[in-house]
Amino acid sequence: MSSSVVTVVAPVNIAVIKYWGKRDEELILPLNDSVSATLDTSVMCAKTSVFASSNITCNEIWLNGKKESFSNKRLINCLDAIKSIAAKEKSVDDDFLSWNVRVCSVNNFPTAAGLASSAAGYACLVTALAKLYNLKSDVSCVARLGSGSACRSVYGGFVQWHAGTDPSGKDSVATQIAEASHWPEMRALILVVGDKAKKTSSTRGMNITAQTSELLKHRIQHCVPQRTTSIIQSIKERNFPKFAEITMKDSNQFHAVCMDSYPPFVYLTEVSHKIIEIIHKYNDLCGGIKVAYTFDAGPNACLYLLEEEVPKMISIIKHFFPSTTPDNLVTGLESTSELVSSDFLEKLAVTAETKKDLIKNVIYTKVGQGPTEVTDGSHLLDEHGLPLNNIE
Ligand code: DP6
């Protein structure tokens, strides 16, 4: 006996109020609320197929074309949580619940680019399993067990993850603030900055910060609650300057708490700092905030801006960060670049880099929907639950 294959695609999300620090490591419960925008799956997504059968002798998983061990604690926690909800809801019979599963997952963007791949991956896995087991409940709290930020990828548009106070984590869930269509002009440019240095992982970094940073306490008590309320209001009002200012301040404070940790750790590089300088000077010259930057646990920038600013911003990036293949630099949505006067570029008073390809790729995308089931039959597993295409 076996199930049919269920396949789901799920989005990445980039936080504007950052999650950094846990109050429970095992249940992945955060110290503060966070807010993010979910990005369009047509540009960046994870895709996952799941399958259950009485003939499978152990749980198996293939990630980006390679068979991996199913022994990862977070992975097991997600599968167990889904099965325990299924048992409570009696959504499948006991026999089905006892079967093992096969999972096959791919990202359509390079994991090596240091982008939020675990958020999309776990949101995808959990949504696919929820469909396989016919669940009705909200699964953001199950995605959270895989990776904290994954709980926000369970919804489209603008999303809040409520830290919650219950020790069980039952109130630490994500909810939607507004759908993607609420602010249709909102765009994101992800500037992929090459960096070979091994970085402190989010999990380890937030652990050091939570244990040692005084600034984190101040942030959690006096900054995040006010910023969360204000940024939600700015989203509801579609007030870009207010949204952008809070986004930049929160990114800066997140990197400041990393420096305030003991030992400190740094995610931003010289290129990241140059991007920050350009955006501030650009906004000053425009006489109002037109573009916001935000950085996660790595040197890549995510710029939030309205559609009308995109052509100018792309030209500015190309001017200050020359590329050996400028025509192929921008991928994702259809884009144009607009001629920016040499007078304007001069007034920005930033020296253009002479070294080429400091920015490797610019991914142009927009706010998008949450996870969706694939109905065109393009599964990653065949009808026996075995991986299709080039799998080792
Ligand atoms: C800087 O969700 O990757 O991107 O819960 O330990 O898996 P774990 O961490 P993760 O941390 C994301 C941190 C961040 C900020 C954010 O996305 O809010």
Side-chain angles (χ1 to χ4, degrees), residues 1-3 51-56 59 83 86-87 90-101 132-133:
M1 288 285 289
S2 64
S3 70
F51 174 85
S53 167
S54 56
N55 299 325
I56 305 176
N59 294 318
K83 285 192 172 187
K90 297 198 190 319
S91 57
V92 290
D93 60 39
D94 289 351
D95 228 19
F96 191 101
L97 262 186
S98 68
W99 297 350
N100 287 313
V101 295
L132 186 72
Y133 290 92

Side-chain angles (χ1 to χ4, degrees), residues 29 58 70 74 109 113-114 164 171 211 230 285 309 327 331 384:
L29 300 177
C58 61
F70 213 99
R74 291 177 170 202
F109 55 93
D171 56 355
Q211 284 178 25
S230 303
L285 260 184
E309 290 299 317
D327 294 341
T331 58
H384 309 291

Side-chain angles (χ1 to χ4, degrees), residues 273-322:
H273 284 290
K274 183 139 190 174
I275 295 166
I276 293 174
E277 183 192 354
I278 291 169
I279 302 303
H280 280 286
K281 289 191 168 160
Y282 180 80
N283 287 335
D284 282 351
L285 260 184
C286 291
I289 306 181
K290 300 288 183 189
V291 185
Y293 55 77
T294 183
F295 296 82
D296 282 341
N300 302 324
C302 174
L303 306 183
Y304 280 113
L305 69 178
L306 298 181
E307 188 181 9
E308 59 190 16
E309 290 299 317
V310 170
K312 237 193 287 169
M313 207 58 228
I314 289 180
S315 297
I316 287 173
I317 294 161
K318 284 184 174 170
H319 174 81
F320 289 110
F321 297 101

Side-chain angles (χ1 to χ4, degrees), residues 5-9 45-50 104-106 372-382 388-389:
V5 177
V6 174
T7 303
V8 165
V9 294
C45 70
K47 181 175 184 178
T48 304
S49 292
V50 292
C104 187
S105 189
V106 293
T372 47
E373 186 165 1
V374 170
T375 50
D376 65 1
S378 63
H379 301 298
L380 302 172
L381 295 170
D382 68 14
L388 292 152
N389 306 329

